[in-house]
Amino acid sequence: RAQASNASSVCWALATGGVAALPEAWGQALRAGGRLVVVERRGAIGKAALYVKGREGLSRRELFDSSPALLAELTPAPTFAF
């Protein structure tokens, strides 16, 4: 679940579950100066990251390790490989 301060021009957002990678639409929804905190999980341990939208795009800073469950609707489909 994600929470936001304003649906049309997001100033801040906080995801309450992990994602494999930041959804592009979330970064685009931030207004200049907006902040987003999300846990990105690509394995057992994820990284909480703070994204800040500036005039030139998004900046990212890792905050701490975290391991929340992945948000089901944003979990990538499994792929087959040899």
Side-chain angles (χ1 to χ4, degrees), residues 36 38 47-52 59-64:
L36 170 67
V38 65
K47 295 282 185 185
L50 169 66
Y51 286 88
V52 178
S59 64
R60 180 183 181 277
R61 181 171 55 131
E62 288 185 359
L63 303 173
F64 52 86

Side-chain angles (χ1 to χ4, degrees), residues 35-57:
R35 292 170 169 76
L36 170 67
V37 177
V38 65
V39 176
E40 299 168 319
R41 277 190 67 185
R42 294 179 186 89
I45 304 296
K47 295 282 185 185
L50 169 66
Y51 286 88
V52 178
K53 183 130 184 204
R55 285 177 263 177
E56 310 245 342

